[in-house]
Amino acid sequence: MKTSVKIGVVLLAVIACSATNGMGQGRRVMVGDSQGWRAGTNYTNWAIQNSPFYINDSHVFKYPPPGKLNASPMSVYLMPDLWSFTTCDFKTAKLVGNPTEGSGEGLVVQLNRPQPYYFASADGNGYDCIAGLTKFVATPMN
Ligand SMILES: *[C@@H]1O[C@H](CO)[C@@H](O)[C@H](O)[C@H]1NC(C)=O
Ligand SMILES: *[C@@H]1O[C@H](CO)[C@@H](O)[C@H](O)[C@H]1NC(C)=O
C-alpha cells in the first residue's frame, strides 16, 4: 500500500513538472525533498543527487516557524560569493527567507540567472554553516 502511494506521488510530481515545462517557468524543486530545510543537515549530498538544476527552476524551502519544535529559527540567506559562503560571513548576505516564511507552501526562490547561488541558513548563530551543514550551492544551466 505504502509503496503504491509513493509511486503515485512520484508520478503526479513528474506529470506536474512536465506540465510546466516549455513555458519558461522551470520546475519546482523541493529542497531536501520531504524533509524540507532543516538544521544540522548535509544538503551538499542532496544538491549533488538533484543536479543539474536549470534556469528558471524554483527552489522551495519548507521549514516550520520558530517554536517548540524548532528551537533554532531557520532562515534562508544568499551569500554573495564563495568566500562568504565558505567562511559563513553573513554581513553582506541577502536574507531571502526569514524564520516565518518557510511555513505553508514554503519559501520560493527562482534561479533565473546562470550563476552560482550560495544558499545558507544562519540558524544557531551560523554554527551549522560553519560545520558545513544546512547550506549548498546550486548553479542552474540553460
Ligand atoms: C526564464 O524566465 C524568463 C521570464 O519569464 C524568460 O524570459 C526566459 O526566457 C526564461 N528562460 C529560460 C531558459 O527558460
Ligand atoms: C556533506 O556531504 C558531502 C558530499 O557527500 C561531503 O563531501 C561533505 O564532507 C559532507 N559534509 C559534512 C559536514 O558532513
Side-chain angles (χ1 to χ4, degrees):
M1 250 338 231
K2 274 189 178 160
T3 307
S4 60
V5 169
K6 276 187 192 160
I7 291 169
V9 169
V10 169
L11 283 177
L12 279 179
V14 169
I15 291 164
C17 284
S18 42
T20 59
N21 278 347
M23 288 159 46
Q25 299 278 356
R27 310 168 303 164
R28 279 175 80 84
V29 179
M30 201 60 69
V31 176
D33 304 314
S34 58
Q35 303 271 333
W37 185 237
R38 291 184 163 204
T41 304
N42 189 339
Y43 286 90
T44 302
N45 286 320
W46 175 86
I48 291 167
Q49 281 162 16
N50 288 275
S51 288
F53 302 114
Y54 296 96
I55 301 278
N56 289 348
D57 279 358
S58 289
H59 279 197
V60 183
F61 294 81
K62 282 199 177 185
Y63 47 95
K68 282 181 191 154
L69 289 172
N70 198 20
S72 178
M74 299 298 296
S75 54
V76 183
Y77 280 87
L78 271 174
M79 313 302 278
D81 50 34
L82 180 59
W83 180 252
S84 57
F85 175 78
T86 306
T87 61
C88 302
D89 179 355
F90 288 89
K91 279 198 292 286
T92 58
K94 186 180 169 199
L95 179 69
V96 292
N98 72 33
T100 64
E101 287 176 304
S103 47
E105 291 298 296
L107 173 83
V108 179
V109 180
Q110 193 180 38
L111 312 185
N112 50 18
R113 280 171 293 163
Q115 57 160 54
Y117 285 79
Y118 300 103
F119 290 108
S121 173
D123 66 280
N125 292 321
Y127 179 86
D128 268 352
C129 180
I130 290 161
L133 302 172
T134 313
K135 66 196 292 191
F136 67 97
V137 187
T139 306
M141 332 189 311
N142 273 307

